[in-house]
């Protein structure tokens, strides 16, 4: 059995087994979140994406490309799913990831029984925390496909048509919402603390300070505003 088939089959097995649910706090088994599930499935299939540093949606693309995947986004129709193959990784670099099963289906870890990301009971309480569902364009930014021909974590990254195209908001002091939470997660993951309130979706003084610290570390214009250059650096 190919590594691709092993990975997608593992995802489908987890989805069919209600001992595996969704949780972002305890996410490396038996419960998973969207990214830890996909990362773990490929790791168990023999592609060491977790060992090489993939931990969440924000850094998956770079690590996967270094481990024998290709960005084939330009070869598929994201709206309809035409051109997708079984085992393709569907990725929104800020919010979500899943895998394509074939026959118009995808498999994903989605949400817990409370409709939240943490605090639920272990296992799938609803039958929908980890599930196979009809394909939809989440929207996806990228589609990644593993190359079975000598794929390893030392091959050059391959992209088609310029790779990911992501439309991200410009965030500054006073901004609120899920985009701010995503920014805060990325900052924390890069060693820039967003303060005692953590990932709260509020772009206050602590988050602005974290942005400035990150911009300085990366040699960017230090203005405390999360614009295109800051997002691009965070998502590499």
């Amino acid at each position: 059995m190919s590594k691709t088939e092993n990975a997608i089959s593992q995802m489908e097995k987890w989805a069919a087994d209600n001992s595996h649910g969704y949780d972002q706090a305890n996410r490396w088994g038996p419960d998973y979140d969207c990214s830890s599930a996909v990362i773990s499935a490929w790791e168990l299939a023999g592609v060491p994406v977790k060992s090489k540093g993939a931990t969440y949606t924000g850094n998956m693309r770079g690590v996967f490309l270094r481990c024998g995947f290709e960005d084939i986004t330009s070869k598929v129709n994201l709206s309809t799913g035409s051109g997708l193959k079984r085992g393709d990784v569907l990725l929104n670099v800020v919010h979500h990831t899943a895998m394509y099963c074939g026959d118009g289906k995808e498999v994903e870890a989605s949400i817990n029984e409370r409709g939240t990301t943490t605090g639920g009971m272990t296992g799938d309480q609803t039958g929908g925390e980890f599930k196979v569902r009809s394909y939809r364009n989440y929207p996806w930014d990228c589609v990644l496909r593993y190359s079975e021909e000598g794929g390893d974590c030392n091959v050059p990254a391959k992209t088609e048509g310029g790779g990911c195209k992501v439309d991200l908001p410009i965030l500054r002091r006073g901004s609120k919402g899920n985009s701010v939470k995503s920014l805060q997660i990325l900052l924390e993951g890069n060693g820039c603390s967003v303060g005692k309130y953590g990932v709260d979706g509020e772009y206050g003084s602590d988050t602005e300070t974290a942005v400035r610290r990150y911009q300085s570390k990366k040699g960017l214009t230090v203005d405390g505003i999360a614009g295109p250059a800051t997002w691009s650096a965070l998502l590499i």
Side-chain angles (χ1 to χ4, degrees):
M1 188 182 294
S2 70
K3 291 179 181 179
T4 297
E5 184 57 34
N6 279 330
I8 187 60
S9 294
Q10 182 65 71
M11 288 284 286
E12 291 169 334
K13 288 176 183 176
W14 283 331
D17 181 352
N18 285 339
S19 67
H20 302 290
Y22 181 96
D23 194 272
Q24 278 192 1
N26 301 293
R27 56 193 290 264
W28 295 106
D31 285 348
Y32 298 90
D33 66 4
C34 64
S35 56
S36 67
V38 174
I39 292 165
S40 296
W42 282 102
E43 184 85 9
L44 289 171
V47 184
V49 288
K50 183 181 178 184
S51 300
K52 295 296 183 177
T55 55
Y56 68 117
T57 55
N59 63 17
M60 280 176 62
R61 180 176 181 271
V63 176
F64 277 51
L65 289 176
R66 290 193 295 273
C67 286
F69 287 78
E70 297 180 52
D71 185 330
I72 52 89
T73 312
S74 65
K75 295 181 179 180
V76 304
N77 185 321
L78 293 175
S79 296
T80 66
S82 176
L84 289 173
K85 293 184 178 181
R86 180 169 168 80
D88 285 348
V89 175
L90 310 168
L91 179 63
N92 178 297
V93 296
V94 175
H95 294 298
H96 194 45
T97 186
M99 286 181 66
Y100 186 69
C101 303
D103 298 323
K105 302 290 184 182
E106 66 185 60
V107 58
E108 63 186 15
S110 182
I111 201 72
N112 70 20
E113 73 273 16
R114 298 181 176 185
T116 58
T117 58
T118 60
M121 296 176 63
T122 300
D124 194 336
Q125 309 302 312
T126 66
E129 296 184 40
F130 202 139
K131 63 186 177 183
V132 175
R133 57 165 296 158
S134 295
Y135 170 80
R136 92 289 199 204
N137 185 8
Y138 176 78
W140 307 118
D141 302 318
C142 305
V143 179
L144 305 175
R145 180 173 295 164
Y146 184 66
S147 173
E148 297 289 345
E149 297 181 1
D152 60 41
C153 287
N154 297 308
V155 299
K158 300 177 182 179
T159 60
E160 295 286 344
C164 268
K165 294 182 179 179
V166 185
D167 187 14
L168 296 169
I170 296 175
L171 302 175
R172 53 173 53 85
R173 175 107 54 119
S175 297
K176 299 179 181 180
N178 288 332
S179 294
V180 175
K181 286 185 179 180
S182 297
L183 173 67
Q184 291 170 326
I185 290 170
L186 291 167
L187 289 166
E188 290 277 353
N190 282 275
C192 296
S193 171
V194 295
K196 64 179 180 179
Y197 297 109
V199 180
D200 61 359
E202 302 277 344
Y203 201 124
S205 59
D206 287 339
T207 297
E208 184 179 87
T209 297
V211 170
R212 289 180 179 275
R213 186 179 302 119
Y214 180 78
Q215 290 170 331
S216 177
K217 183 167 67 172
K218 293 296 183 178
L220 304 173
T221 299
V222 180
D223 57 9
I225 298 171
T230 300
W231 277 115
S232 294
L234 284 165
L235 292 170
I236 289 175

